[in-house]
Structures are given as structure tokens and as C-alpha cells.
Amino acid sequence: MNPFEVLEIPPDASPEDIKAAYHRLAKQWHPDRFTGPEKAEAEARFRQLAEAFSTLKDPGKRLALQQQMPRPAAVSVAKEKEKEKDQDREGGQERTAEDWATMAKEAYDEGRVDQARALIHYAIRMDGTKPHYHALLATILERDGDDLRAVVKALETAVRLAPRDVDSHLRLAAHFQTLGMAARAQRHLQTAREISPSHPKLRQPVPKGGKGAKGTPVPGRKGKAAAAPAAQASLVDQLKDLWGRLTGKG
């Protein structure tokens, strides 16, 4: 993965920006903050951040990477920043993170994916607390289709900042299913169902015993044990259906 994207910074980031981004993300993903299965992922992210910072703090390596970046993205970001400077010289106000995010969305809608990615990274660098910035980054990375784990990373940040973001939970469920991480996929799907049971992307399966009307027998201990595998199977079916809906194959 490109070191600039690992540190969530644009290709023209200054050495000070690179250092600040590294310290911010290293603190966020420090393994000591995680336990269980998530600790291994945090350790991998932490190593990835350290490698990216080690590369970009070297002026020669940084310049070589900048020269390899897609020209449309680099040129477009440079032009946008030049416009910003012109605006400042004319007495206007400096662009906000929301301005950069809006331009990223416009670039994405027009098919300028490289530029959109660079612009949203710039918005996140200015203000990384907005969940919809990270959700947009995930959407842009999904279009690239090169790094599904980077998509997951962006969506995880989105739901950490906005725990009731149903769409991001559903997207995470579908992507974790693709990665073969069924338990995490089911967890996000279940969270989405708890937040918004009537969400249009969620199916509402009808229990085999009917709608739970009066007179329906209450299962005993044996019935509860049998219900658990059935519930798990239902979640798996929903994940498959959800993936079809998100990819347009359903």
C-alpha cells in the first residue's frame, strides 16, 4: 500500500505533516489499546505505520514516491492548493476540511478517482474526526478495488466515530464476509439490525413457527439449543443477501 495512503496524507505533505500524521495514527493504533482478535490487527497496522513513516521521512525515498504518483491526482491537488492561496491573497478565508471533502465527492462523482482520493486524504488530515470523511474514503477505495483491508480500515474508523452509522456497519459486514471473517461480519450485521431493524438493506426473516402469536409454544432448553444454529444460519444467509445488494448481484 502507498505510504502516503497508510498515513492518510496527500503526496505533497510536508515533513512536519508526515510526522504529525504518524504520531496521531500510531497513538490510535497502538497495540496496547486493543485486546483479543483485534490486537493482532492493531499490531499489523502499527507495523505498517512505522514502515510508511520510515520511508517518507527519507527525502530521497519520498521524492521517488511522489514522482510515481498518478499525475492527474498530484496536479489537481496542486491546482486546488494554488486556488486556495489565491483566495487567501484576495482576502478570502482559508478552505475548510469540509470544502476539501466536498471537492473529493465531486471529483469521485465525475470519475476522477485519483484526485478524489488525494482530496479526501487532505480533508482527513485537516480534521480526522468526521465519520463521513472516512466513509467517503472507503467508497473511493472500493472503486479502486486494490486493497480491501484499506476499505475496512476506513469503515472501522467511521463506525468508531459514529457507532450508529448503519450503512458503514452493513458495508463492514459484507467486506468481512468476503475476507472470510464470518464472526466479525455477523457482529456488524447484528449491530445494524439492532440499530435499524427496518433498514431497507436488511431482510426481516419470518420465524418458521409463525409471527409469534399467542398460543405459540415457548421452546424449552432443548428448543433454545436448536435455535442457536438456526439463528447463525439466518445471519449467514443475510450476509450473502446483503453482499448481493451492495454489489448489485442480488
Side-chain angles (χ1 to χ4, degrees):
M1 187 175 178
N2 190 300
F4 289 105
E5 294 184 2
V6 172
L7 294 180
E8 300 178 1
I9 53 177
D12 59 348
S14 68
E16 292 76 17
D17 292 335
I18 293 170
K19 184 176 181 180
Y22 169 68
H23 285 301
R24 174 176 61 83
L25 292 170
K27 181 179 179 181
Q28 176 181 329
W29 287 102
H30 197 285
D32 289 347
R33 299 183 61 190
F34 297 84
T35 58
E38 294 182 346
K39 187 177 182 67
E41 181 183 355
E43 290 173 345
R45 296 268 178 88
F46 194 76
R47 287 194 298 270
Q48 193 177 42
L49 290 168
E51 292 172 1
F53 179 59
S54 177
T55 298
L56 294 182
K57 71 179 182 180
D58 183 306
K61 293 180 180 179
R62 184 170 69 250
L63 178 60
L65 282 170
Q66 288 172 333
Q67 293 174 341
Q68 294 172 12
M69 294 294 289
R71 290 188 62 81
V75 171
S76 297
V77 173
K79 287 182 178 179
E80 293 295 346
K81 294 193 73 175
E82 188 60 35
K83 288 180 182 179
E84 180 185 8
K85 292 178 182 178
D86 291 341
Q87 187 180 37
D88 290 341
R89 286 194 291 267
E90 293 171 2
Q93 294 184 347
E94 183 178 353
R95 290 190 189 276
T96 65
E98 191 65 30
D99 292 331
W100 290 105
T102 299
M103 289 189 290
K105 180 64 167 61
E106 292 173 351
Y108 175 79
D109 290 341
E110 294 171 3
R112 295 177 281 119
V113 180
D114 289 334
Q115 181 185 357
R117 184 172 61 246
L119 289 169
I120 194 61
H121 274 308
Y122 196 76
I124 290 172
R125 182 166 68 90
M126 291 184 69
D127 184 357
T129 66
K130 298 294 190 295
H132 62 285
Y133 294 178
H134 298 278
L136 176 56
L137 173 60
T139 299
I140 294 169
L141 294 174
E142 283 173 339
R143 173 76 70 87
D144 283 347
D146 293 334
D147 192 346
L148 186 54
R149 292 188 179 274
V151 175
V152 168
K153 173 185 173 183
L155 289 172
E156 285 182 324
T157 302
V159 297
R160 186 161 51 249
L161 294 170
R164 297 185 66 80
D165 180 355
V166 176
D167 284 329
S168 290
H169 278 295
L170 291 174
R171 291 167 69 186
L172 276 170
H175 289 312
F176 277 130
Q177 182 72 6
T178 300
L179 291 169
M181 304 171 73
R184 298 184 73 172
Q186 291 178 12
R187 185 177 67 193
H188 283 286
L189 178 59
Q190 186 62 37
T191 299
R193 292 178 61 192
E194 292 171 357
I195 296 171
S196 180
S198 60
H199 193 282
K201 291 181 181 176
L202 286 170
R203 286 190 302 144
Q204 297 299 312
V206 178
K208 291 183 179 180
K211 297 183 179 180
K214 291 183 179 180
T216 301
V218 178
R221 185 179 184 85
K222 183 176 180 181
K224 290 181 180 179
Q232 185 174 4
S234 175
L235 282 171
V236 172
D237 289 340
Q238 288 188 57
L239 283 168
K240 292 179 180 178
D241 180 70
L242 173 61
W243 178 243
R245 291 168 184 262
L246 291 175
T247 58
K249 298 178 181 179

